[in-house]
Amino acid sequence: MNICGVLVHAFPAQLNDVDAAHRLIPGVEVHGRADDGRIIVTFEDTFTTVASDGTASVHALSGVVAAALV
């Protein structure tokens, strides 16, 4: 099993939308967020996805400025 921790930076005005979108991605768990747009998430392997691919899917979300493995 692989687990990746990711710090996501979103535009603060789109924080709720980005947070909700994360919760729809298989293997993603949201652990915290700040009003300035930072969101802490982990990605776990699932039967259909690999945790390391989660970072690429986050970059594709509207409202995301950056995502970095931590």
Side-chain angles (χ1 to χ4, degrees):
M1 176 197 298
N2 292 310
I3 300 173
C4 299
V6 177
L7 176 61
V8 178
H9 289 266
F11 291 109
Q14 294 178 289
L15 181 61
N16 290 333
D17 294 337
V18 173
D19 188 10
H22 279 118
R23 297 172 193 276
L24 299 176
I25 300 171
V28 172
E29 185 174 346
V30 177
H31 296 278
R33 61 184 242 179
D35 291 338
D36 65 358
R38 292 174 292 155
I39 306 171
I40 301 166
V41 298
T42 55
F43 296 92
E44 294 184 28
D45 287 345
T46 68
F47 291 112
T48 59
T49 62
V50 179
S52 59
D53 292 342
T55 304
S57 64
V58 167
H59 279 287
L61 294 175
S62 177
V64 171
V65 178
L69 289 170
V70 291

